[in-house]
Amino acid sequence: MNQKIDKIITRFPPSPSGYLHVGGARTAIFNWLYARNKGGNFVLRIEDTDAQRSTQDSVDAIFDGLKWLGITWDDGPYYQSQRTDLYLEYIQKLLDSGNAYYCTCSPEKLDEMREKAMSEGRKPKYDGTCREKNLPKTDNAVVRFKAPLHGATVIEDIIKGHIAIQNEELDDFIILRSDGSPTYNLAVVVDDITMGINTIIRGDDHISNTPKQIMLFNALGYKLPLFGHVPMVLGGDKTRLSKRHGATSVTAYRDMGILPEAMVNYLVRLGWSYGDQEFFTIEDLLEKFNLTSIGKSPSVFDMDKLLALNADHMKAAGAAKLKDLVKPFLDKAGIIPPEGIDVEKAVETLIPRCRTLEEMAEASRFYFEDEIVYDEEAVKKHMKPESIAPVNALIAKIDGLEDFSEANIDKVFHEMLEETGLKFGKAGPPVRIALTGKTASPGIFEIIAVIGKEKTLSRLKKAAAYIENMGQAKN
Ligand code: GLU
């Protein structure tokens, strides 16, 4: 059978009243992946009809966030603020077909209506005063949608299932304000129709708008798109993720040194699953993402999980790529790798020990800065007068070494152990502190191979002098 399948068209329609929130980014990613997976189109639309709250800075911040995540769109960006004429055209269609009407009820009258309904224990809603009056357009009139009075409006949600809303619960909502501006739900539906959107994945905070939008689709005679309402992202205390829980802007994670592929991976897994697989490359996601495995219950944003996943993505990225990515973080930390040091090799040794690029930059300090500051606790524990023996013996060995391969360094280090009769557990720590200032670091041989003969010798000699001094101070 030759059944025609429509090209999938999804959208991301942010309201530009702030940065790109992680929740918004997640729905953007879902729509983008789905469109890509199906060979469809992904549309970007800026919902900037609220002139009070929309700013160019927010638009730029949203672009910035999307760009960082690697999300590209095929159509748009459209700006709702530039599409008023189109919205007016559709409002006229609704008026012409008898699906909308002018209403001249004054604000006072509406207040009265509301109070009366509340005092009678009813839900406040428009009572239909102008519904059948067929009023002409006048200065202060609004346009209301003539909503069905009986029956139910049904959402067949691909995530939440079948949801029926009794039409009696809804009222004749306004689609054109008295100042001539179209309302939100009207604009969204006109956009979704004219942009050919057939798949709408959005946060379930919008579910209360969906029945109104469905009614508009029906009245205008268009096929309904597929709806999927994704549960919210929560903080640790199970309330909606907000600043109280930590950073909610996507780019704040970039600035902490999270890799974009890790962020995408994490956000997708926050609400979507593929067996028990946790690690996904972008290619993997593009191939495997589907709408059927989006979870029904809300997920909790877990920073530790994100960090662990980022560590895995850093390993996958490899030193050649990370050495460039860590550069801005080195700059921020005021660390300038000196000439002649192999940054890629240094980065390579740090990969297993760091969860973010920011941590990597900080951890790399001892490689690139000559001033080694000894950690006080480390000194107390491992720098004893007798620690001078392995340090001095290693100085002699390194002095005579020409080929600074890790294998060679390993060899002379073990010769030193034999000569001094010390175990690695005794000789290693003072050497490590001499080289890095700390008790935890990449392997000693790796470090020596990276910093080379001159720096190794000067650090060991400085430590020897320090230990000697320490002995004298005690005597
Ligand atoms: N502009 C809405 C928002 O930023 C999205 C509405 C929708 O997806 O239909 O939350």
Side-chain angles (χ1 to χ4, degrees):
M1 289 291 280
N2 225 349
Q3 201 188 352
K4 191 177 164 294
I5 299 171
D6 288 341
K7 182 174 179 145
I8 295 295
I9 306 181
T10 66
R11 45 46 150 209
F12 177 52
S15 304
S17 55
Y19 45 71
L20 181 59
H21 186 278
V22 290
R26 186 184 58 159
T27 45
I29 295 167
F30 281 176
N31 284 287
W32 170 70
L33 285 176
Y34 187 59
R36 290 282 171 274
N37 177 276
K38 294 284 176 217
N41 271 5
F42 176 61
V43 180
L44 179 63
R45 166 169 97 219
I46 305 296
E47 300 201 326
D48 59 349
T49 44
D50 186 342
Q52 304 288 307
R53 299 181 58 209
S54 304
T55 66
Q56 187 56 43
D57 280 354
S58 298
V59 174
D60 293 343
I62 290 165
F63 288 164
D64 194 28
L66 292 174
K67 192 170 161 230
W68 176 62
L69 292 169
I71 297 178
T72 51
W73 50 94
D74 309 288
D75 197 9
Y78 292 100
Y79 291 83
Q80 283 191 329
S81 58
Q82 296 168 5
R83 295 167 60 84
T84 310
D85 287 350
L86 190 68
Y87 305 144
L88 296 179
E89 211 180 281
Y90 276 78
I91 290 169
Q92 193 57 49
K93 280 187 193 186
L94 288 165
L95 283 164
D96 293 346
S97 61
N99 285 298
Y101 60 90
Y102 286 106
C103 164
T104 53
C105 291
S106 64
E108 295 74 33
K109 170 142 186 87
L110 294 173
D111 281 346
E112 241 171 66
M113 227 181 263
R114 199 169 301 124
E115 269 159 37
K116 185 156 179 276
M118 304 244 287
S119 71
E120 289 169 7
R122 287 182 290 118
K123 227 175 135 183
K125 58 182 226 178
Y126 182 64
D127 69 359
T129 301
C130 299
R131 184 173 163 113
E132 303 300 343
K133 283 188 182 162
N134 216 358
L135 294 173
K137 181 178 179 181
T138 44
D139 261 0
N140 281 321
V142 299
V143 176
R144 286 185 184 273
F145 177 66
K146 204 180 230 180
L149 297 173
H150 308 291
T153 298
V154 171
I155 313 172
E156 296 297 351
D157 193 287
I158 52 168
I159 298 164
K160 299 196 181 272
H162 176 90
I163 303 169
I165 297 98
Q166 296 307 310
N167 290 336
E168 278 150 33
E169 296 283 311
L170 303 167
D171 69 354
D172 288 354
F173 55 92
I174 295 174
I175 53 176
L176 185 72
R177 299 185 189 91
S178 57
D179 66 1
S181 63
T183 57
Y184 174 73
N185 282 311
L186 184 280
V188 167
V189 171
V190 172
D191 282 344
D192 287 336
I193 288 172
T194 52
M195 293 170 192
I197 308 295
N198 51 25
T199 312
I200 296 179
I201 309 299
R202 63 182 166 206
D204 66 5
D205 51 336
H206 283 285
I207 208 159
S208 61
N209 287 324
T210 310
K212 293 180 192 169
Q213 295 179 7
I214 289 178
M215 286 175 173
L216 288 170
F217 269 101
N218 289 339
L220 287 163
Y222 286 89
K223 197 174 149 203
L224 290 181
L226 207 63
F227 287 101
H229 291 87
V230 185
M232 293 286 97
V233 179
L234 306 181
D237 60 358
K238 304 281 165 73
T239 63
R240 192 174 166 179
L241 188 71
S242 72
K243 279 189 186 151
R244 283 184 302 120
H245 301 106
T248 53
S249 144
V250 158
T251 43
Y253 291 90
R254 170 191 67 192
D255 301 342
M256 286 175 208
I258 300 288
L259 301 183
E261 56 268 37
M263 195 72 199
V264 170
N265 184 165
Y266 182 69
L267 289 177
V268 173
R269 277 288 293 110
L270 204 58
W272 177 81
S273 57
Y274 191 81
D276 51 13
Q277 186 176 340
E278 292 290 348
F279 182 94
F280 294 84
T281 62
I282 301 294
E283 291 67 35
D284 227 3
L285 288 173
L286 288 168
E287 189 197 313
K288 292 175 177 161
F289 185 77
N290 57 27
L291 298 181
T292 41
S293 312
I294 297 178
K296 280 190 177 48
S297 42
S299 344
V300 174
F301 192 92
D302 181 339
M303 191 62 194
D304 286 332
K305 266 196 187 161
L306 171 59
L307 289 171
L309 200 53
N310 198 53
D312 291 341
H313 277 276
M314 284 173 70
K315 288 188 185 96
K321 200 169 156 199
L322 292 178
K323 82 163 191 310
D324 296 328
L325 295 176
V326 80
K327 174 86 175 54
F329 294 88
L330 292 174
D331 290 347
K332 209 164 88 189
I335 300 169
I336 305 162
E339 285 293 314
I341 202 157
D342 189 339
V343 179
E344 187 175 326
K345 224 163 145 191
V347 162
E348 174 93 63
T349 70
L350 295 168
I351 292 175
R353 330 186 61 85
C354 300
R355 297 176 306 171
T356 67
L357 294 168
E358 196 175 49
E359 280 179 19
M360 180 174 266
E362 205 39 62
S364 75
R365 203 175 272 284
F366 73 87
Y367 273 127
F368 306 134
E369 290 183 347
D370 281 331
E371 194 57 41
I372 300 297
V373 183
Y374 299 151
D375 178 80
E376 237 178 80
E377 283 301 309
V379 168
K380 246 194 240 158
K381 217 164 152 204
H382 300 290
M383 286 239 198
K384 304 272 161 61
E386 64 270 22
S387 316
I388 200 153
V391 175
N392 276 338
L394 192 60
I395 291 174
K397 290 279 166 204
I398 296 284
D399 219 3
L401 191 65
E402 284 314 320
D403 177 354
F404 263 62
S405 68
E406 248 180 81
N408 257 344
I409 297 160
D410 186 331
K411 189 169 139 260
V412 296
F413 194 92
H414 281 90
E415 285 169 13
M416 175 276 278
L417 290 182
E418 246 170 61
E419 280 171 24
T420 54
L422 291 171
K423 292 239 150 42
F424 195 96
K426 268 267 172 285
V431 171
R432 192 187 296 278
I433 297 167
L435 298 174
T436 68
K438 298 186 178 63
T439 49
S441 74
I444 291 174
F445 316 144
E446 289 176 302
I447 297 171
I448 295 178
V450 172
I451 62 177
K453 185 167 182 170
E454 197 190 316
K455 283 185 197 294
T456 303
L457 282 178
S458 90
R459 290 181 192 190
L460 290 174
K461 284 178 185 166
K462 191 188 138 201
Y466 182 91
I467 297 169
E468 208 162 316
N469 240 333
M470 208 164 64
Q472 278 165 11
K474 271 200 183 138
N475 290 337

